[in-house]
Amino acid sequence: MSGTNSPQGGLTRRSFLKTTGVAAGAAALAGGANLTALAAEDVAAQNASGEQVFRGNCRPNCFGFCHLNVHVRDGKIVKTSRAPYNNPEYSRICQRGLSHVQRVYDPDRVLYPMRRVEGTERGAGEWERVDWDSAITEIAEKMQSYKAEFGQQAVAIAAGSNVGFATTFNYTRFQYATNCTYISTPYDNASMYALSRTAAGSAWEANEHTDLKNSKHIVAWGANITDAQVHSWHFLKEAQQNGTKITVIDPTFTQIANKADLWIPIRPGSDTALVLGIMREFFKRDALNEEFLAAHTVAPFLVNPETGLFVRYSEINAEAAARKAEQEAAAQKAALAAMEAASSQGEVAAGMAYQSVLGAMAYDDQPVVVENGALVEADKATAPDLFAKYEVSGSVCDTALTLLRESVQEFTPERVRELTDVPEDLLYQLVDICLDQPVNHYVGYGSQAYSNGVHTTHAGLTMCGLIGNMGYPGASWGSQWQMYGGFNAMYLIGAGMATSPTVNSLALPEVMRTGEFQGSPCSIKMLYIHTSNIVACHPDTNAWLRDVVGNMEFIVTVDSMMTDTARYSDLVLPVTHWFEQVEVGPAGQTLCMNWNEKSIEPLGEAKTDVEIVHLIAEKLGMGDLFSADTEEIIDELLQSETSASLGITLDALKEKKEIRFVADEPHIAFRDGVFATPTGRLEFYLENPQVREATSKVPTKEEIDRERLPHWFPPAEAWPENELYQKYPLVCMSERPRFRVHSQWYNVPALRELDPEPIVKINPVDAEARDIENGMYVECYNDRGHAVARAVVSDAVRPGTLVYPKGWQRSQHKAGSWCELLSCDYDVFAVSANWMDTLCEIRPWDEGGVL
Ligand SMILES: Nc1nc2c(c(=O)[nH]1)N[C@H]1C(S)=C(S)[C@@H](COP(=O)(O)OP(=O)(O)OC[C@H]3O[C@@H](n4cnc5c(=O)[nH]c(N)nc54)[C@H](O)[C@@H]3O)O[C@H]1N2
Ligand SMILES: Nc1nc2c(c(=O)[nH]1)N[C@H]1C(S)=C(S)[C@@H](COP(=O)(O)OP(=O)(O)OC[C@H]3O[C@@H](n4cnc5c(=O)[nH]c(N)nc54)[C@H](O)[C@@H]3O)O[C@H]1N2
Ligand code: SF4
Ligand SMILES: [Mo]
């Protein structure tokens, strides 16, 4: 596929745009200075007609954070249009951004506090309007009475994936101050955890998208960029038009696969095996970047086979041992002093102070490497032996690189084919591509959506480390989005510290069923849910409804829409839509803090989250700790050295609308091979594998040992060797639809016209075997639940799999819902949801049930 062919009679798409200047086409297809001018003209013209235009920041978590013009006439939003980013390459809008009017004035909006009618079932949809004061009074009284009767942990707060700067962090402060249990939601954690533990990357750090043009190849691993990153697809397309080749690794022939130069179909859940096979080839072809490995990775470090730890200089040098003992004693002393100082704030705060001082202590005790046959401190070596073998205190030690080389040997091309279904010739082609640097491995969330997902990114970063394909323009692994972390963290803990636990939502059904968490009693009676549609979006809906909703005495949901989660609540509080309040969008792929003006007065009696928290806090007697003014909170959150150094202040945000929070541009992850890990290197070998978040599962010694290096194990459920496969032979995968972000925009007429109801895509072979015809209703089911949707029979779907666009409300399915099919199982280290690690069967269905 070549970028120079074009449907416009030999003109490239770029020159076509330049010569015609068609505004509509231009707005939809590309960014550029002339387009920004067009947008600005549009706004000026509208202003003349008496319309007011405000700056909105669109902030579902699609990672875009597009700047929008919100056009207001007579106090009503009449239109949204694209507003310029400072860097015009980022000025985008999509059909969701264009249809906000229908979202703001959606008949499903919650306009008043609503109470479930006494005596009716949760979910039955019988509501009565209550006034704000009684709603807030009930919340505050219930919080106090449950805590008094059952303990501090009895009230829990759960959040979803939407972020607003003041909204999110004010809730954290509230959770701390009221000492509530925090329900964490593990939505994209496998890849991010692998990134943080091996490279200390921030969130999902990778090279910025404006750098994609510098890559010779883009390899999209389980990344549905045309639909899940609509705002970023143009970067890939423009790169392709300039000669970059795109390879797609995906079980499904997706839209991006259709536009790629090469598609590598892969068995679901097997990416790690493919990466290990690539690494084996690197070793075999002697393709390693030895300078990078020696200077920027733990490759040359000797590993003690008895302990699994790096051999340290203090083990072989008496002087270093004495120095370390001294440092340890000093650290103990400092930690005890910190504990003492914090003791007035209670036992937990004192313990945390102790741990944090000890944890932050850096010892001058280098791992050792072998150079010219002798042991030296890693930082002193210039050309360490990457494959040294050395006896230390009676143990023969290998380097981390040797251990890696050994561990990938079983992944021969034949074995890789058996596991991944990728034939040898395609593997070799992929190896050639990986070596033809720089390569941007654009990694979506597909391969991490299985129980073994943490290892795809652990292996991927290791693979890039082996050949030095990172830290410079064009070379990267990941998909890039980050959140601003330089805010005033004291704001979160300034009103008090929580001692109540963090319970992962995947474990919550079990906690509610057993009343235990980590072996101790844990009784939760009340759940306050904000910025989340957990009933529609969380795995194993039936377990959630039965164990969590069923065992909860009181559920409050704060949303602007009557979502599934709101429906299964006792009290629903109406929150403002984004354009009815000021806020900062603090994250995204553009690496900016984004200002959002208030465009219109809140509809009905809607209030901001900040106002709601203020009201509850007031009733609890802590109103002075929680301002009702969002700007005040933003201002306080920006009181930090980092914000000052970046020039991020409330006034500057108001004026500039957008300020970058990352200095380099384009951002290059781990530029020049600098990593913020304890060793300052890419730690593909982990000395101390840790669980990401404590749950009731604890890893065994064997699991810890095997976790040190990236390794392959089959997905927990969706794998042919699983016995369940006999009964449920189809792997059930979701895809992000361009019509919704998760369940947001679910009821917007303009989008429903394009995408009216839940569908499921199935390969003709699987359809025929089950008498399923295109367009008929089908029921997908397993032991956990079912979902009914319309069948789309399509060759693009891999035989043995189903693909459904996600994000419908339960109430929009004819029966059941997609997340009923999913499991709450999780990997003990990653603690991340296994969205696609799901088996099911499918059969025809009619209105009355199964045909
Ligand atoms: N329009 C829209 N955009 C969104 C969102 C949305 O809801 N709607 N959600 C946002 C969020 S929070 C997220 S996390 C991102 C997700 O971004 P993506 O991960 O890019 O989105 P998905 O559509 O889930 O695409 C996953 C892809 O992985 C493939 N896949 C499944 N299993 C495997 C496997 O084992 N190996 C490989 N290589 N591929 C596999 C699927 O076929 C699919 O094409 O999207 C964000 N953007
Ligand atoms: N089957 C399947 N399910 C999945 C996935 C999958 O791949 N397959 N992917 C998962 C992933 S990666 C993610 S990130 C999750 C997302 O899961 P959620 O974050 O629960 O999804 P949303 O539907 O975006 O829900 C956000 C809710 O917050 C509300 N909201 C928006 N802004 C505000 C605000 O400022 N204040 C308040 N109070 N409410 C607000 C919206 O109206 C919406 O109802 O979905 C997960 N679910
Ligand atoms: S939904 Fe995402 S891509 Fe679309 S306008 Fe909003 S931020 Fe941009
Ligand atoms: Mo996500």
Side-chain angles (χ1 to χ4, degrees):
M1 227 173 278
S2 146
T4 50
N5 292 334
S6 91
Q8 283 88 36
L11 287 174
T12 63
R13 173 163 284 178
R14 279 189 168 179
S15 57
F16 168 71
L17 286 176
K18 241 190 239 158
T19 50
T20 62
V22 177
L29 289 170
N34 50 349
L35 302 177
T36 311
L38 272 175
E41 272 168 34
D42 190 35
V43 168
Q46 299 290 357
N47 276 334
S49 75
E51 207 168 73
Q52 286 174 288
V53 179
F54 297 88
R55 177 59 62 93
N57 181 233
C58 190
R59 45 184 196 283
N61 101 33
C62 74
F63 317 154
F65 289 87
C66 296
H67 281 247
L68 307 186
N69 296 311
V70 182
H71 303 250
V72 175
R73 218 176 269 175
D74 299 330
K76 284 194 113 186
I77 299 177
V78 291
K79 184 172 107 168
T80 37
S81 65
R82 194 183 54 128
Y85 251 92
N86 291 342
N87 178 347
E89 287 181 277
Y90 282 134
S91 304
R92 315 301 297 178
I93 191 166
C94 75
Q95 63 271 57
R96 297 177 304 260
L98 286 165
S99 58
H100 268 292
V101 173
Q102 293 185 332
R103 195 173 165 190
V104 174
Y105 301 105
D106 193 313
D108 251 13
R109 265 205 63 176
V110 186
L111 298 176
Y112 310 98
M114 304 298 275
R115 181 82 173 75
R116 177 173 57 85
V117 173
E118 206 63 54
T120 64
E121 292 259 313
R122 283 198 189 118
E126 305 250 358
W127 299 100
E128 61 184 356
R129 185 175 156 183
V130 291
D131 60 58
W132 269 106
D133 192 56
S134 40
I136 297 292
T137 305
E138 184 173 13
I139 291 172
E141 284 179 2
K142 290 232 152 93
M143 282 179 81
Q144 283 167 325
S145 66
Y146 290 133
K147 279 171 173 284
E149 193 176 345
F150 302 101
Q152 289 297 317
Q153 82 299 324
V155 179
I157 297 184
S161 66
N162 261 92
V163 278
F165 192 46
T167 305
T168 304
F169 296 127
N170 196 52
Y171 270 125
T172 308
R173 178 178 168 97
F174 181 66
Q175 179 240 323
Y176 284 164
T178 51
N179 196 5
C180 286
T181 294
Y182 179 60
I183 307 298
S184 56
T185 40
Y187 288 161
D188 305 308
N189 292 102
S191 323
M192 288 195 281
Y193 183 48
L195 176 77
S196 73
R197 73 182 187 179
T198 57
S202 134
W204 195 205
E205 186 171 3
N207 287 10
E208 193 170 351
H209 291 167
T210 45
D211 170 63
L212 280 162
K213 54 173 144 347
N214 296 320
S215 304
K216 275 202 207 165
H217 297 270
I218 297 167
V219 182
W221 297 76
N224 178 18
I225 301 160
T226 51
D227 293 59
Q229 249 88 83
V230 274
H231 50 277
S232 284
W233 161 242
H234 71 103
F235 287 113
L236 284 87
K237 190 65 203 165
E238 284 156 15
Q240 194 182 39
Q241 283 168 337
N242 282 327
T244 301
K245 297 284 181 227
I246 299 179
T247 299
V248 167
I249 303 175
D250 203 302
T252 309
F253 188 66
T254 53
Q255 302 214 39
I256 180 176
N258 177 23
K259 293 172 195 315
D261 300 274
L262 176 67
W263 171 47
I264 302 185
I266 187 167
R267 189 195 306 279
S270 70
D271 295 53
T272 304
L274 182 59
V275 186
L276 296 174
I278 295 172
M279 286 201 263
R280 182 180 181 278
E281 281 298 304
F282 287 174
F283 282 110
K284 198 163 152 240
R285 296 189 193 183
D286 227 351
L288 307 188
N289 181 331
E290 294 184 356
E291 288 79 42
F292 189 87
L293 283 167
H296 301 294
T297 77
V298 296
F301 292 4
L302 285 181
V303 177
N304 181 329
E306 315 298 327
T307 60
L309 303 178
F310 296 135
V311 178
R312 303 269 163 182
Y313 197 51
S314 61
E315 293 171 52
I316 56 157
N317 179 291
E319 235 172 74
R323 194 170 63 217
K324 188 179 178 203
E326 244 170 61
Q327 286 171 346
E328 273 173 347
Q332 276 290 344
K333 213 168 145 196
L336 284 170
M339 186 167 103
E340 184 66 37
S343 61
S344 62
Q345 293 162 41
E347 214 174 284
V348 173
M352 283 174 68
Y354 178 80
Q355 286 304 338
S356 81
V357 170
L358 267 195
M361 205 57 86
Y363 301 104
D364 180 15
D365 189 17
Q366 292 268 317
V368 294
V369 299
V370 178
E371 191 170 43
N372 301 325
L375 293 176
V376 275
E377 287 170 283
D379 278 7
K380 303 240 161 75
T382 47
D385 183 348
L386 292 172
F387 295 103
K389 212 179 234 322
Y390 208 99
E391 194 177 319
V392 184
S393 324
S395 300
V396 179
C397 305
D398 283 308
T399 65
L401 190 61
T402 305
L403 298 179
L404 176 71
R405 185 177 60 182
E406 277 168 15
S407 75
V408 300
Q409 286 318 307
E410 65 175 288
F411 296 91
T412 59
E414 300 74 38
R415 177 97 177 104
V416 169
R417 172 173 37 77
E418 283 164 20
L419 291 170
T420 66
D421 223 12
V422 174
E424 283 89 333
D425 59 330
L426 269 186
L427 169 68
Y428 296 136
Q429 221 176 315
L430 183 57
V431 172
D432 290 341
I433 287 171
C434 292
L435 290 172
D436 190 23
Q437 294 185 49
V439 181
N440 186 311
H441 294 273
Y442 192 126
V443 187
Y445 293 81
S447 52
Q448 66 124 42
Y450 301 80
S451 66
N452 57 6
V454 69
H455 286 279
T456 306
T457 279
H458 189 161
L461 288 162
T462 306
M463 182 260 278
C464 287
L466 283 182
I467 55 170
N469 184 64
M470 52 186 3
Y472 74 101
S476 181
W477 175 278
S479 72
Q480 171 57 24
W481 71 259
Q482 291 181 57
M483 231 172 121
Y484 180 51
F487 59 86
N488 169 13
M490 277 311 290
Y491 183 76
L492 312 189
I493 53 174
M497 291 287 294
T499 52
S500 293
T502 293
V503 177
N504 198 279
S505 61
L506 294 171
L508 189 60
E510 193 196 330
V511 170
M512 296 302 291
R513 224 172 28 240
T514 60
E516 273 194 12
F517 180 60
Q518 295 184 306
S520 305
C522 181
S523 159
I524 300 174
K525 300 291 173 190
M526 171 174 166
L527 183 57
Y528 180 105
I529 305 168
H530 65 87
T531 49
S532 160
N533 187 5
I534 205 157
V535 171
C537 297
H538 195 270
D540 207 344
T541 319
N542 287 323
W544 188 270
L545 292 178
R546 185 186 60 234
D547 298 335
V548 178
V549 173
N551 287 316
M552 205 60 81
E553 290 192 9
F554 189 56
I555 303 175
V556 182
T557 293
V558 186
D559 206 304
S560 55
M561 301 292 293
M562 197 42 103
T563 60
D564 286 343
T565 306
R567 278 173 211 279
Y568 283 96
S569 304
D570 302 298
L571 189 59
V572 183
L573 301 181
V575 79
T576 40
H577 176 277
W578 301 326
F579 305 149
E580 295 163 7
Q581 65 165 104
V582 293
E583 183 51 291
V584 171
Q589 294 179 320
T590 62
L591 306 172
C592 288
M593 293 285 272
N594 307 291
W595 180 245
N596 177 91
E597 283 172 341
K598 176 175 173 177
S599 309
I600 54 166
E601 286 306 313
L603 262 60
E605 289 184 2
K607 291 186 188 296
T608 65
D609 290 278
V610 159
E611 286 167 339
I612 295 170
V613 166
H614 170 76
L615 290 175
I616 303 172
E618 236 180 3
K619 284 271 184 243
L620 293 172
M622 47 171 78
D624 54 332
L625 296 174
F626 291 91
S627 168
D629 180 349
T630 303
E631 285 197 16
E632 230 173 77
I633 294 172
I634 293 171
D635 190 36
E636 207 171 326
L637 277 166
L638 290 175
Q639 303 303 320
S640 69
E641 272 176 34
T642 313
S643 303
S645 70
L646 292 163
I648 307 177
T649 64
L650 181 63
D651 287 340
L653 276 170
K654 281 184 179 174
E655 187 202 323
K656 297 183 177 162
K657 310 290 187 249
E658 163 219 332
I659 302 177
R660 268 179 84 85
F661 57 73
V662 165
D664 61 336
E665 191 169 4
H667 176 64
I668 302 300
F670 322 116
R671 199 184 271 277
D672 301 327
V674 176
F675 299 90
T677 53
T679 58
R681 294 161 181 253
L682 176 69
E683 299 191 354
F684 65 78
Y685 179 95
L686 307 170
E687 273 194 294
N688 289 304
Q690 307 275 336
V691 297
R692 184 184 65 78
E693 182 180 322
T695 64
S696 297
K697 279 196 201 180
V698 179
T700 60
K701 160 110 179 34
E702 197 191 343
E703 283 171 327
I704 292 173
D705 282 342
R706 71 167 195 181
E707 193 67 12
R708 292 204 166 92
L709 283 169
H711 67 276
W712 158 257
F713 56 96
E717 180 165 317
W719 197 248
E721 281 155 24
N722 182 356
E723 247 174 58
L724 200 64
Y725 207 82
Q726 307 303 320
K727 192 171 167 197
Y728 297 120
L730 299 169
V731 179
C732 185
M733 301 186 291
S734 54
E735 67 175 11
R736 322 272 149 171
R738 54 178 60 175
F739 310 101
R740 293 175 297 286
V741 177
H742 308 300
S743 67
Q744 299 178 76
W745 281 272
Y746 69 91
N747 202 34
V748 163
L751 302 178
R752 292 293 296 279
E753 236 177 82
L754 300 166
D755 184 35
E757 63 180 329
I759 59 159
V760 59
K761 301 186 221 172
I762 180 169
N763 183 276
V765 173
D766 293 321
E768 205 187 327
R770 294 165 177 83
D771 292 328
I772 290 172
E773 281 165 29
N774 196 41
M776 73 167 29
Y777 284 110
V778 287
E779 181 192 36
C780 308
Y781 63 98
N782 61 20
D783 290 344
R784 289 181 290 265
H786 73 153
V788 171
R790 214 185 258 282
V792 173
V793 178
S794 163
D795 280 321
V797 175
R798 179 185 172 87
T801 71
L802 299 175
V803 177
Y804 64 90
K806 72 175 284 277
W808 293 101
Q809 305 287 338
R810 246 174 106 62
S811 48
Q812 293 178 303
H813 293 74
K814 282 206 170 286
S817 60
W818 289 120
C819 286
E820 284 191 15
L821 294 157
L822 276 46
S823 144
C824 271
D825 192 17
Y826 56 92
D827 174 60
V828 58
F829 291 99
V831 193
S832 187
N834 303 338
W835 308 109
M836 317 226 193
D837 201 349
T838 306
L839 289 175
C840 74
E841 186 44 286
I842 185 169
R843 59 192 166 197
W845 192 87
D846 78 359
E847 294 294 324
V850 179
L851 273 179

